[in-house]
Amino acid sequence: MVEGNTDNVPVNASAATMKNIRNNWDLSALRASSVVQALQTQYGVDPKRLSAAGRGEYNPVASNNSAVGKQRNRRTQIIITPKPDQFMDLIDEPP
């Protein structure tokens, strides 16, 4: 899963190049979707194994009170998880 994130600055609808970017939720989902598509087309990852999620401004890793903090919050995160059956097998194995 690829999660897209944004800072807390509202999207300026008049400056947005695409009319479907209404807010930070849309922007974060589009950011994640762009990475998913690159993983598929440029790196050959099976699209059945990919998903995109937008987190908007609600999962910050830094304060939005500085330019550097806002920059850190405009990001994507790739979360790698095992298949559910493989995960259950891992839980059942002793360390």
Side-chain angles (χ1 to χ4, degrees), residues 73-84:
N73 290 328
R74 294 187 298 263
R75 69 192 189 286
T76 56
Q77 294 175 274
I78 298 175
I79 300 167
I80 300 171
T81 58
K83 294 179 182 177

Side-chain angles (χ1 to χ4, degrees), residues 7 59-66 68-73 75:
D7 57 27
N59 190 32
V61 294
S63 169
N64 281 302
N65 294 329
S66 71
V68 172
K70 289 177 185 177
Q71 183 180 26
R72 288 192 63 213
N73 290 328
R75 69 192 189 286

Side-chain angles (χ1 to χ4, degrees), residues 1-2 4 19 26 31-32 35 48 51 59-60 71 81 95:
M1 174 175 28
V2 178
K19 297 293 183 193
D26 289 345
R31 184 172 280 149
V35 173
K48 294 176 186 173
S51 63
N59 190 32
Q71 183 180 26
T81 58

Side-chain angles (χ1 to χ4, degrees), residues 26-49:
D26 289 345
L27 181 59
S28 65
L30 183 59
R31 184 172 280 149
S33 177
S34 296
V35 173
V36 163
Q37 291 176 55
L39 289 171
Q40 177 189 354
T41 59
Q42 296 174 20
Y43 298 97
V45 178
D46 183 352
K48 294 176 186 173
R49 301 183 67 196

